[in-house]
Amino acid sequence: MGIRVGVAGASGYAGGELLRLLAGHPEFDLVTATAHSQAGRPVGAVHPHLSGLDLTLTATGPDAFADADLVFLALPHGQSAALANELPETVKIVDLGADFRLHDGGAWERYYGGPHAGTWTYGLPELPGQRERIANSARVANTGCYAVTTILALAPLIAAGVADPEDVVVVASSGTSGAGKSPKPHLLASEVMGGLSTYKTGRHQHVPEIKQATGAKSLSFTPVLAPMPRGILATVTARALGDADPHDVLKRAYAADPFVHVLEEDQWPRTASVSGSNSVHLQATVDVDSGRIIAVSASDNLGKGAAGQAVQNANLMFGLPETTGLQIYGVAP
Amino acid sequence: MGIRVGVAGASGYAGGELLRLLAGHPEFDLVTATAHSQAGRPVGAVHPHLSGLDLTLTATGPDAFADADLVFLALPHGQSAALANELPETVKIVDLGADFRLHDGGAWERYYGGPHAGTWTYGLPELPGQRERIANSARVANTGCYAVTTILALAPLIAAGVADPEDVVVVASSGTSGAGKSPKPHLLASEVMGGLSTYKTGRHQHVPEIKQATGAKSLSFTPVLAPMPRGILATVTARALGDADPHDVLKRAYAADPFVHVLEEDQWPRTASVSGSNSVHLQATVDVDSGRIIAVSASDNLGKGAAGQAVQNANLMFGLPETTGLQIYGVAP
Amino acid sequence: MGIRVGVAGASGYAGGELLRLLAGHPEFDLVTATAHSQAGRPVGAVHPHLSGLDLTLTATGPDAFADADLVFLALPHGQSAALANELPETVKIVDLGADFRLHDGGAWERYYGGPHAGTWTYGLPELPGQRERIANSARVANTGCYAVTTILALAPLIAAGVADPEDVVVVASSGTSGAGKSPKPHLLASEVMGGLSTYKTGRHQHVPEIKQATGAKSLSFTPVLAPMPRGILATVTARALGDADPHDVLKRAYAADPFVHVLEEDQWPRTASVSGSNSVHLQATVDVDSGRIIAVSASDNLGKGAAGQAVQNANLMFGLPETTGLQIYGVAP
Amino acid sequence: MGIRVGVAGASGYAGGELLRLLAGHPEFDLVTATAHSQAGRPVGAVHPHLSGLDLTLTATGPDAFADADLVFLALPHGQSAALANELPETVKIVDLGADFRLHDGGAWERYYGGPHAGTWTYGLPELPGQRERIANSARVANTGCYAVTTILALAPLIAAGVADPEDVVVVASSGTSGAGKSPKPHLLASEVMGGLSTYKTGRHQHVPEIKQATGAKSLSFTPVLAPMPRGILATVTARALGDADPHDVLKRAYAADPFVHVLEEDQWPRTASVSGSNSVHLQATVDVDSGRIIAVSASDNLGKGAAGQAVQNANLMFGLPETTGLQIYGVAP
């Protein structure tokens, strides 16, 4: 028998993507999926694309996961700790929420509000040494979607001394699934299609997470809502230090990583290329006028930005090949 | 070593989807991919979502497939016969083009022009008895994308005597990938986004294929170009004969088929639900004013409508489980 | 001083489009706009595209329109009668709701529920003799959006004896603004973008309105939700009676109408072409297989399907040129 | 009789938008529209949304404009000078191309290549003193679409000493019509829908134009192609100098401008709000982490970014009210 897996918060978009990935995973057996208001409904009624998956959502709580070996938490920010504290230590947990990502409790309180729950192993295997830490952890905090997209472009450039950690400027556009499934007026199709807009301008909660993981000292981060269901495109700029080619730095940094692809020099990342996959595409150059490094990163916010990354971390935690049950190639066009 | 597979016409959208599926197939080893004007380029340069796939496109011709066990032809209509005739009989072939679909040479000439190349086993396993015929064939003609989407909704209703084969009316909308990758003015994003339009109105070439497979005697078929990259939604209407519930007829017809899902009574098919998968979602009811049956069918034109169906057929031809290397659940949202 | 105009129900999409058109109308002075939950907010806060329009929404009620010469009602179905009954007879009213469209109270009750409020002059000037009736009316019931799009294609064909009124089949796709501004889960951008789905399949409330205006005896009408904010594309099919060219019939019928354009023979209507305008584009042919007439019609559901049509009717009611303050050409691409 | 107007290069997107605006302009009479490969075709065949406009495209050349009072040039970059030099000085000209925008011939050659044609009055009326210069000019160089969107946000902040002109960073996303109507593979709907990508990364030709008009000393500008037909959203960041509120600075700068709207403090610009109009929406704040000013600007690339701006300039050149024939409110949703 395989590894028994539960998903808490399975009715949202990240939860649905987890169910989709787990349904095709050769080692993880999806046994329990819980939800709040949707408890009691078959999965196919809540996620029509999963019609045929024989599973009914149950109420979220520790009993639902009594015989699970692995639990994914896909709950609203601030709700993970209460459930995690009631699960036995033998259960391995990947939290897709923000609760356990930050070392700095003060930053948590400034950006998220409420008390800081604590700090778990940060779930980004591509950071130096992090793959091993994750493999040895029973509790892992998955990355934020904007955060991982930005960090993968920025961290090696700062680490190599090529990009100045002072005055990093990021503008990143996300598809609408990143904003969740609650029906809010500004997320209506009529409002979103055919247009772009910024939001949380000047104060996005992924800023401290990106600074913590990259060493950036000052970070201006502007998120943009884009008319597409999935995908994040981050444009990351920082002053160049020295003459090293940022493309080469990225190429070397990720030479051994199965999910991070530094494109050939004439290609620039496109979110459509990684849709449905766990991959991230990267490219970088130096701006001819300003001399700033411009690094561009494309991810699927539900893939590497949420559910795919969570499965990658769980694979590591159970000693499985990192790519088990995950797609390297996106569904395009 | 696995089954050695080649793809002719790998630079188009159906070809790209074949490469994506074959790259993840556990039994088929993708060894050759050919193209015309793109020959010599790495796959990742032509299909950016396949960046990292270590394969270079070569020129199309029989030599390219000298040591293949299985060849997929994804060539423009009318070009399959020339290549197929030069491949040894021991090579199994699935043709994604229209060349070998029709029994009626006259219908071929009226709708496609040029001489009729012949007739191969029709590659739609869900038709009665067809799964076995495909398994015993070395040459299989894959279905048209509109055709399969319509046939799966219509064939059981006519076969059960529930729908009148006279005066069938179908309006079906397709995403743009069905129109191919050649840059034509009306396929520009600026022209397509935010709008809908009909095309080939009153004379679409899938009409004889649908009639052949369903027994429809008269068929009005109108295709619509929709602002989405993938997916077909077909609304299929026919006069009801008797009082049988068309939903029940469909439910019984596909009870054992892994890729055809007749939805619960309150759910209607959505193309987004099957995107990236080989599944088709179906629903049917009777119109309260006219008494006509309205059956609705959703597919991915590159999945069940092209590459997914082709892999499903190839699985059968090699005695593999039908679902090998294919997705049942779409990538949504 | 111009004609004093009020809009009841100005916070929805049809209401917003009315405000936009009235803000640029040379004879109508927009003096009052009312809303329910949004009362008290400036127009620009509710409709960001109208930022700069110096008007605050007030509560809906007869007092709000005390000194109006003309009132547009853009209220939910079933709410127009209560307000209309409290306005003096000297005030001219155009109702954008369904309340006063139908002659047949029984049809109203079957499709809308609740008591039938009555019947006003039907607000479709392009029907024979209707322009004069509207000009002589103080109460006009605007058309439904699907209804007008279908009627303009179908009515002349039935009237000319070219199309059989038995067994008319219509499949029509609409942009999302037709579904209103209330945040419902299935209208979220994540759910709508990249996909198509049918809804109210087999029982849409515009059926009796279309039958009443065209003389169709049996009508199968299937609506489809399309990933675009605006626009309706209707495919209207009926058995051909005789050999007349349906294109010519339409061309003659609308030779003098400024907003209905029968395209040249090689052009098919596209919704994007009429977006933002009050125009409808038409084309028709005969299907080569079935011999059915296929007529295709494109409109803007908020233009000719709602607010534009309402202004056109009001122009007629006040003896103004029909095109005053309206656009003939859509905003494309 | 009104002012006689011709459009050179009327078959492209900017040309089509000019025709649409001129068809509704009360003082300008559209008498001639020219094109290259499309010469001889009726306007409605080339621009289906202009069906009904009774005008045939003729070949581009000085004879076509022999009796024009005003000519708009909407030609590819580098082609305006040849035609402009052959038109009499009495003809007023607005050039929508880049040929005459720059003072610095060296910058022209670096970014555009070829010889510098010269410098005309820069057609951005909202810059201090520029409205008068335009009114007194017979030759005006219209702005670039990215340029005007960025300049309107940035220029007052630098002029007021609030934003540091060193190290300005801009990321701006555009709809596809900005890339023109020539069918190129990367502009296919299948490629664009559902995704975002950067292009000309690190070396966009609007950089010198923005620096010239704003006084920025160093400018990193990254353009992004977005899945929408129209619209530009620019995120403009610069280090704050002092404590002034950038919102207030913008509000004061544009208090008297009919087409530039600085939104209320809780609203952020959305491109959909200005679609089809000549308006620009602005907002600004200070980033809490970095202290950089973030100013956001939304325009219609074919409106204020091209044809609308051109008509606004022509209105000024002929002493007409600036808003004649132009829309202040966008077509939304």
Side-chain angles (χ1 to χ4, degrees), chain D residues 16-44:
Chain D
E17 186 74 350
L18 271 171
L19 298 186
R20 185 179 76 84
L21 294 175
L22 293 169
H25 197 286
E27 306 291 341
F28 292 153
D29 289 348
L30 175 63
V31 293
T32 306
T34 75
H36 183 61
S37 62
Q38 307 277 3
R41 301 186 69 195
V43 162

Side-chain angles (χ1 to χ4, degrees), chain A residues 10-33:
Chain A
S11 62
Y13 287 134
E17 185 74 349
L18 272 171
L19 299 186
R20 184 179 78 84
L21 293 175
L22 293 170
H25 196 287
E27 306 291 341
F28 292 153
D29 290 348
L30 176 63
V31 294
T32 305

Side-chain angles (χ1 to χ4, degrees), chain D residues 11 20 31 33 47 106 135 137 140 144 187 192 199 208 245 275 300 322:
Chain D
S11 62
R20 185 179 76 84
V31 293
H47 297 295
S137 296
V140 169
L187 297 177
V192 170
Y199 64 102
D245 182 344
S275 193
D300 181 337
E322 189 169 348

Side-chain angles (χ1 to χ4, degrees), chain A residues 13 48 175-178 180-185 187-194 226-229, chain C residues 13 48 175-178 180-185 187-194 226-229:
Chain A
Y13 287 134
T176 53
S177 60
K181 210 174 174 177
S182 296
K184 296 172 187 164
L187 298 177
L188 281 174
S190 297
E191 299 297 314
V192 170
M193 292 186 296
M228 56 190 197
Chain C
Y13 287 134
T176 52
S177 59
K181 210 173 172 177
S182 296
K184 296 172 187 163
L187 297 177
L188 281 174
S190 298
E191 300 295 314
V192 170
M193 292 186 295
M228 56 191 197

Side-chain angles (χ1 to χ4, degrees), chain B:
Chain B
M1 202 180 81
I3 298 155
R4 298 173 62 86
V5 180
V7 174
S11 62
Y13 287 134
E17 185 74 349
L18 272 171
L19 299 186
R20 185 180 75 84
L21 293 175
L22 293 170
H25 197 286
E27 305 292 339
F28 293 153
D29 289 349
L30 175 63
V31 294
T32 307
T34 75
H36 182 62
S37 62
Q38 307 277 3
R41 301 186 69 194
V43 162
V46 175
H47 297 294
H49 62 297
L50 302 178
S51 287
L53 184 62
D54 185 22
L55 192 70
T56 294
L57 298 175
T58 56
T60 300
D63 294 351
F65 304 104
D67 59 356
D69 305 306
L70 166 65
V71 173
F72 294 98
L73 306 180
L75 300 167
H77 296 315
Q79 300 189 6
S80 295
L83 179 57
N85 290 339
E86 297 198 67
L87 296 177
E89 294 201 5
T90 53
V91 176
K92 296 186 179 180
I93 306 179
V94 179
D95 180 21
L96 281 79
D99 299 27
F100 297 101
R101 288 175 195 159
L102 297 183
H103 293 281
D104 178 355
W108 167 271
E109 283 163 27
R110 276 197 306 283
Y111 280 93
Y112 292 94
H116 184 222
T119 310
W120 288 358
T121 301
Y122 190 60
L124 183 41
E126 288 82 4
L127 291 179
Q130 203 64 12
R131 188 170 273 112
E132 293 68 30
R133 285 182 210 108
I134 294 166
N136 293 321
S137 297
R139 298 284 186 277
V140 169
N142 218 42
T143 62
C145 56
Y146 279 122
V148 64
T149 313
T150 302
I151 292 165
L152 288 171
L154 183 61
L157 298 173
I158 289 181
V162 166
D164 187 350
E166 304 288 344
D167 209 16
V168 175
V169 177
V170 178
V171 178
S173 303
S174 175
T176 52
S177 59
K181 210 172 172 178
S182 297
K184 297 172 186 164
H186 74 287
L187 298 178
L188 282 174
S190 298
E191 299 296 315
V192 170
M193 291 186 295
L196 289 170
S197 57
T198 62
Y199 64 101
K200 297 188 185 174
T201 317
R203 50 180 180 82
H204 194 275
Q205 69 274 12
H206 286 180
V207 166
E209 182 180 346
I210 296 169
K211 292 173 77 175
Q212 170 181 296
T214 62
K217 302 298 182 198
S218 160
L219 175 61
S220 166
F221 182 89
T222 305
V224 176
L225 187 67
M228 56 191 196
R230 289 184 178 224
I232 292 180
L233 188 82
T235 301
V236 179
T237 80
R239 269 192 302 267
L241 301 175
D243 290 332
D245 183 344
H247 171 86
D248 294 344
V249 172
L250 293 176
K251 195 97 184 170
R252 275 195 301 275
Y254 298 113
D257 284 295
F259 292 118
V260 182
H261 302 272
V262 182
L263 300 180
E264 296 305 306
E265 298 220 3
D266 56 339
Q267 287 190 303
W268 286 86
R270 312 180 334 157
T271 58
S273 290
V274 296
S275 193
S277 82
N278 195 47
S279 288
V280 171
H281 285 190
L282 297 176
Q283 183 57 283
T285 192
V286 176
D287 185 272
V288 299
D289 187 82
S290 68
R292 286 180 83 97
I293 290 174
I294 304 179
V296 178
S297 177
S299 74
D300 181 336
N301 59 297
L302 295 179
K304 187 70 176 172
Q309 173 95 297
V311 170
Q312 184 185 359
N313 284 325
N315 285 339
L316 290 168
M317 293 161 81
F318 280 89
L320 300 171
E322 189 169 348
T323 56
T324 310
L326 293 169
Q327 298 295 321
I328 287 179
Y329 304 116
V331 178

Side-chain angles (χ1 to χ4, degrees), chain D residues 62 65-69 71 83-93 138-139:
Chain D
F65 305 104
D67 59 356
D69 304 307
V71 174
L83 179 57
N85 290 340
E86 297 197 67
L87 296 178
E89 294 203 3
T90 53
V91 177
K92 296 186 178 179
I93 306 179
R139 298 285 185 276

